[in-house]
Amino acid sequence: MWARTQWTAMVLLALATACGGDDGETAKAKGAGGASGTGGGGGTGGILMIDGGGNSDGAAGTGGGLSFPIGPDGYPVGFTKTDEGARKLGDPFDGTPPKQSNCGSVLLGVVRDFKDGSKGGHPDFETFTGDGLKGIVEDTLGSDQKPVYASNGPTIYTTGKTEFDQWYRNTDGINKPYLIFFFLVPNGGVYTFESNAFFPLDDAGWGNEGHPHNFHFTTEVHTKFKYNGGETFRFQGDDDLWVFINDKLAIDLGGLHAKQTQQIDLDTAASSLGISPGNVYSLALFHAERHTDESNFRIDTNLEFVDCGTTVPEPR
């Protein structure tokens, strides 16, 4: 069975309690170079588990669990290394949330692929350019845990509510949804996932459509954290990005734009977010990559997450 090592600071894409045996916890998983843990050599054993879906290679299935053996380099086997951390594209997502357990520093999300709007696909993808725009979504997350298109907001970078509502909802013939798994690593007092070439759907979904990469997709992550005081959350990337904490809009980097950065200090924003130390709150992240020719995605945080992430059930 797995031994448990308490981490005093965690990251997005990580558990509050890391799970791993003595031979399976690596320097990455133990927090070497980060705010917690003692480091150590890269182990060669260990398996990160997410129950309810699959095979030993991490592919989703209909029973059992998702397993991610740790390689000698300290990364889950089968993951693609990024600038900081690693990622893995899973199987198509049919709307049924997988069960989860000992997933270590792997967090679950959903990516949805869209066709190029300049070639007759979704009109919000590849058809706009810009420098970013706040106010595309309402300040409160919807009851279905999805962003609400602002009825009186700016529309210069979007087509309208009907089209926007397809970004983060499974829609036959419009998008192709997949599970995605992220692996976070310690980075000078925070934990980081960074990819300056974030193209998880290359040659998948609708394909690259004549581009060198698949540039037209959205990313959705839902998890929970314990607020202790002193935490921050920072995002850097393109294009649209919204982060909701306790269902309140905490970061707004909407619209098409080159790489932009925004950080939230939870203590400073505690009143507006309705949070107080010692309690557990939700965090939801919504990202969109909508135009060639770059895709950047970076998260830095010391939040103490208490689950592996989940998916929102989709109507069937």
Side-chain angles (χ1 to χ4, degrees):
M1 298 299 291
W2 296 98
R4 292 185 181 272
T5 300
Q6 295 294 334
W7 291 358
T8 59
M10 294 295 292
V11 291
L12 180 69
L13 318 181
L15 281 173
T17 304
C19 302
D22 290 340
D23 63 344
E25 289 179 342
T26 66
K28 294 289 185 182
K30 284 185 176 180
S36 63
T38 59
T44 58
I47 296 177
L48 306 175
M49 286 291 301
I50 295 182
D51 286 344
N55 309 307
S56 60
D57 63 356
T62 57
L66 301 170
S67 62
F68 304 108
I70 299 297
D73 58 357
Y75 285 80
V77 174
F79 278 52
T80 299
K81 291 184 181 179
T82 60
D83 297 272
E84 295 284 349
R87 60 171 173 78
K88 177 181 177 63
L89 186 67
D91 278 4
F93 172 55
D94 67 0
T96 304
K99 298 178 182 178
Q100 302 167 71
S101 62
N102 301 339
C103 53
S105 54
V106 172
L107 185 83
L108 174 71
V110 176
V111 287
R112 294 177 175 86
D113 190 28
F114 294 82
K115 292 181 181 179
D116 183 336
S118 71
K119 300 179 179 180
H122 194 286
D124 287 341
F125 292 80
E126 199 62 28
T127 55
F128 299 97
T129 59
D131 297 317
L133 186 67
K134 297 183 183 301
I136 293 176
V137 301
E138 299 284 358
D139 291 340
T140 301
L141 204 60
S143 59
D144 60 355
Q145 295 299 294
K146 307 288 185 176
V148 178
Y149 188 73
S151 57
N152 297 319
T155 60
I156 60 174
Y157 295 152
T158 56
T159 305
K161 177 180 177 0
T162 298
E163 291 76 15
F164 179 82
D165 285 350
Q166 297 166 347
W167 289 20
Y168 304 108
R169 294 171 175 86
N170 294 1
T171 310
D172 289 344
I174 301 296
N175 61 45
K176 292 189 176 184
Y178 293 80
L179 297 175
I180 188 170
F181 305 94
F182 297 91
F183 181 66
L184 270 287
V185 294
N187 180 32
V190 297
Y191 286 77
T192 298
F193 176 86
E194 179 182 19
S195 176
N196 292 313
F198 185 57
F199 300 110
L201 284 162
D202 274 6
D203 302 315
W206 303 110
N208 297 1
E209 300 182 277
H211 300 292
H213 298 285
N214 187 334
F215 284 93
H216 311 111
F217 60 91
T218 63
T219 309
E220 178 179 6
V221 174
H222 293 267
T223 186
K224 293 182 179 180
F225 67 95
K226 183 178 181 182
Y227 175 41
N228 297 304
E231 291 93 330
T232 60
F233 185 95
R234 178 178 181 266
F235 180 84
Q236 181 181 74
D238 66 294
D239 288 300
D240 312 75
L241 185 283
W242 299 283
V243 174
F244 291 82
I245 293 175
N246 194 29
D247 293 348
K248 308 291 194 306
L249 185 61
I251 293 179
D252 184 351
L253 290 174
L256 288 98
H257 53 78
K259 186 188 298 184
Q260 293 185 358
T261 304
Q262 187 172 341
Q263 176 172 307
I264 185 166
D265 181 321
L266 270 67
D267 289 350
T268 301
S271 178
S272 62
L273 295 175
I275 62 176
S276 57
N279 296 305
V280 172
Y281 298 99
S282 62
L283 183 145
L285 179 150
F286 302 91
H287 161 263
E289 173 56 45
R290 294 203 277 150
H291 201 284
T292 54
D293 53 3
E294 293 183 352
S295 181
N296 302 282
F297 189 104
R298 175 171 180 155
I299 293 166
D300 299 277
T301 188
N302 59 351
L303 288 175
E304 181 182 323
F305 285 83
V306 299
D307 65 25
C308 308
T310 188
T311 59
V312 175
E314 295 279 335
R316 303 183 70 180

